[in-house]
Amino acid sequence: MADQTKEPQLFELSNGSMHVKITNLGCTITSLTVPGKDGQLADLVLGFDTLEPYVKGAAPYFGCIVGRVANRIKDGKFTLDGIEYSLPINRPPNSLHGGHKGFDKVIWEVSEQKGGENPSFTFTYHSRDGEEGFPGDVLVRATYSLTSSTTLRLDMEAVPQNKPTPINLAQHTYWNLAGHSSGTILDHSAQIWANHITPVDQNTVPTGEIMPVKGTPFDFTTEKKIGASIQEVPGLGYDHNYVLDCGEEKEGLRHAVRLRDPSSSRVLNLWTNSPGMQFYTANYVNGITGKGGAVYNKHAAVCLETQGFPNAINQPNFPSIVVRPGEKYKHTMLYEFSVE
C-alpha cells in the first residue's frame, strides 16, 4: 500500500495580511493568522505545533475536513437502492464523521498550487469502494484559496465513480476570534441565519423534526452572546444543526453566520451553499495541550460546520445527501474576516 508510506506535510498560504497553514493529513487547517484591532495578529484556530499529535489522533477533529459523511449516522446503518450498508460504530451507538479512518485521517495528494495575490492549494483524495463501509469509489477535491486580503475560500467537490453513495463533507475548524489560547468563546456573539434547528435525541441524532428557534435558547436570529443562554441548552452546550433558511445570497452562497469577538474586534462572516450548519461549542474539549503549551478546555472555541443535515441518509424529509455517478457534490465555504 503506497498510501501508508506518504508523510504528512505542511503548506502555507499567505497574501501579506493573512497566513494559513494546512497539512495534507485530513486537509487540516493548523493555523490561521489574521489582524485584529490595531493590526494585532493572532492565530484563531485550535491545534498543535507539530504534525505528530494530528497523526496520533490527539485532536477531536481540529481543523480537518470530515467525510465521506460528516456528523452522525444513526446506528451506523443505512439502506440505499435496497442495499443495506453497515458502518463502523466509532461513536457508540452511532457512526460519526466517516468512521474510524475518515477523510480527516488520510493523506491527501497535493494536485495543484498557485501563488500570487490569490494563492491556493488543491488537495485530492481517492476514496475506495467499501472504505469505512461506504459504497463505490469517490474522487474528492478540496481547494483552499485566499480570495482577498482577509478572505479564505474552501471549495469541496466529490464525484462518485461507479455507485450511488451518501456524501456530506464538513470543515471542522475550532475557531476562537480572540486567539486560540485566549480562553472561552462564551463572550463571542453570534448571529445565525436560521429560523429552525433539527432537534436531537439523547445520542445527538436528529429526531427528524424541524423546530422553530423562536422563544428557545437556540435562537440566534439576532446577534447574541454565545454564553447568554447556553446554560438552558440540554447537555453540555450547543451541538446542533441549524437550518440555514433566511440568509441573504451572494454569488450563489448564503449568509450562514456572523461571529464577533468584542476583545479583539474581529468578525467572521461565513457564507455557504449548504443547507445546514452544525453549531458546536467545543463541549467535549477537556484539557488538551495545544500550540505554545496552551491548554484547551470546554467552550475554548466554536465550530461552524456547514453541512447536509445529520443522519439525512435515514431521514426522508431532510434534503438528500445521495450523489449518483454522473453527478457532482459541490460545497463552498467563504470565510470573511474583518475588524469592526
Side-chain angles (χ1 to χ4, degrees):
M1 293 283 286
D3 288 351
Q4 302 309 313
T5 60
K6 278 189 272 180
E7 288 292 311
Q9 295 167 280
L10 205 53
F11 302 89
E12 193 158 350
L13 287 174
S14 179
N15 58 9
S17 54
M18 189 174 182
H19 303 272
V20 185
K21 289 181 182 164
I22 302 160
T23 171
N24 58 332
L25 174 66
C27 257
T28 299
I29 297 173
T30 63
S31 167
L32 185 145
T33 304
V34 72
K37 65 180 177 196
D38 311 322
Q40 286 289 100
L41 290 173
D43 180 354
L44 310 186
V45 307
L46 270 53
F48 302 104
D49 288 319
T50 64
L51 292 181
E52 188 188 23
Y54 295 98
V55 174
K56 288 190 165 160
Y61 303 101
F62 283 169
C64 57
I65 290 178
V66 292
R68 180 178 304 193
V69 174
N71 220 300
R72 288 162 183 84
I73 293 178
K74 185 179 169 72
D75 301 331
K77 285 186 165 50
F78 67 91
T79 299
L80 181 54
D81 293 351
I83 303 167
E84 185 172 294
Y85 296 94
S86 288
L87 311 172
I89 307 292
N90 63 314
R91 184 63 62 88
N94 304 306
S95 189
L96 176 70
H97 291 331
H100 292 304
K101 191 176 183 182
F103 292 1
D104 63 300
K105 295 180 181 69
V106 298
I107 298 202
W108 297 50
E109 297 275 348
V110 184
S111 65
E112 212 178 309
Q113 68 184 94
K114 292 178 182 155
E117 272 178 45
N118 305 121
S120 67
F121 280 102
T122 298
F123 300 92
T124 54
Y125 177 62
H126 179 175
S127 178
R128 308 279 170 185
D129 182 22
E131 186 177 313
E132 295 297 312
F134 290 101
D137 291 79
V138 178
L139 297 181
V140 191
R141 277 168 73 90
T143 301
Y144 288 100
S145 50
L146 302 186
T147 54
S148 81
S149 62
T150 52
T151 304
L152 171 69
R153 181 179 172 118
L154 170 58
D155 291 289
M156 294 175 271
E157 293 184 352
V159 180
Q161 300 298 294
N162 38 33
K163 290 180 187 174
T165 179
I167 300 176
N168 184 18
L169 307 183
Q171 216 299 341
H172 208 302
T173 292
Y174 286 70
W175 300 99
N176 187 319
L177 297 184
H180 73 98
S181 58
S182 64
T184 81
I185 44 74
L186 297 176
D187 271 344
H188 282 41
S189 62
Q191 182 173 2
I192 304 174
W193 278 269
N195 288 318
H196 300 82
I197 61 159
T198 51
V200 294
D201 65 18
Q202 70 277 14
N203 297 315
T204 329
V205 173
T207 60
E209 190 191 346
I210 308 276
M211 181 185 95
V213 295
K214 194 178 162 86
T216 76
F218 299 102
D219 189 348
F220 285 92
T221 50
T222 52
E223 184 179 348
K224 80 170 180 193
K225 280 202 167 159
I226 292 176
S229 35
I230 199 168
Q231 303 305 329
E232 300 163 45
V233 177
L236 300 169
Y238 295 100
D239 190 4
H240 295 77
N241 173 60
Y242 278 71
V243 178
L244 301 175
D245 53 11
C246 56
E248 58 173 319
E249 287 207 17
K250 86 172 170 190
E251 294 166 29
L253 303 179
R254 229 188 257 123
H255 205 172
V257 57
R258 177 179 183 272
L259 189 66
R260 187 171 64 87
D261 164 49
S263 68
S264 66
S265 303
R266 279 190 197 87
V267 172
L268 166 56
N269 280 287
L270 175 58
W271 301 73
T272 186
N273 62 346
S274 279
M277 181 185 77
Q278 193 79 5
F279 183 65
Y280 173 52
T281 46
N283 308 326
Y284 303 107
V285 174
N286 183 0
I288 297 172
T289 301
K291 288 180 273 198
V295 178
Y296 305 138
N297 285 306
K298 185 172 149 184
H299 308 324
V302 61
C303 301
L304 310 167
E305 307 158 55
T306 63
Q307 60 181 4
F309 295 0
N311 196 39
I313 190 67
N314 291 313
Q315 282 291 355
N317 62 317
F318 285 0
S320 174
I321 60 164
V322 174
V323 188
R324 296 181 178 273
E327 300 174 342
K328 181 186 276 190
Y329 166 92
K330 284 184 162 184
H331 179 181
T332 295
M333 304 175 77
L334 198 66
Y335 299 91
E336 294 181 331
F337 296 92
S338 56
V339 175
E340 21 188 285

